Amino acid sequence: MRNIAATIQDYFLGLQHIGYVVDDLETSLAEFAQIYGVDLTSVRLEPEAGVDSPSRFAFFSVAGTEFELIEACDPDLKALIETYPSGAGGINHTAWRVRELDKVMSLLADKGIVPGHVTPAGPVTFGNKTLVYLDPKTTGGHLIELIEIAE
């Protein structure tokens, strides 16, 4: 008889993005443009130019996969990022799009996997996205972000 209990994979919809930590956003964007042919006019920057923020982000797609470049502008945030194995640069985290984030978190909690990193209190909502980072201490050192997008 097939086990009909829900598994984590039943709630995964696909890869949302791959996040890279970079020292300089403009330099890294130029490198990605040179390597992958990224059209810089299609890059989404957050926050928008002129907005003071502890970090800057650039989002773009390569062959249907979204990339997120992360430049920490605040010394405290930079120190936090650098505490993780990938903090000096390179792939920082993988973000998965999921459905029913609350159920996913319950299933993970049953396995001892809990929120952490920049969302230690649990999921947070920005616009139509609810996201949570999993504590790398409970995931074997992997920094994983889960995102549910309200349709």
Side-chain angles (χ1 to χ4, degrees), residues 45-124:
L45 298 173
E46 293 182 15
E48 294 179 10
V51 175
D52 188 30
S53 175
S55 55
R56 297 186 323 142
F57 303 89
F59 294 91
F60 56 88
S61 292
V62 175
T65 297
E66 187 173 54
F67 286 80
E68 172 189 36
L69 303 185
I70 308 156
E71 176 189 14
C73 303
D74 176 79
D76 293 333
L77 179 60
K78 188 171 181 102
L80 173 67
I81 289 173
E82 289 175 351
T83 63
Y84 292 94
S86 64
I91 294 176
N92 175 261
H93 68 278
T94 52
W96 295 97
R97 186 167 179 192
V98 300
R99 63 180 179 86
E100 300 181 58
L101 182 59
D102 56 334
K103 289 186 182 179
V104 173
M105 293 309 298
S106 177
L107 289 167
L108 290 170
D110 291 345
K111 297 174 183 245
I113 300 171
V114 298
H117 189 52
V118 296
T119 59
V124 294

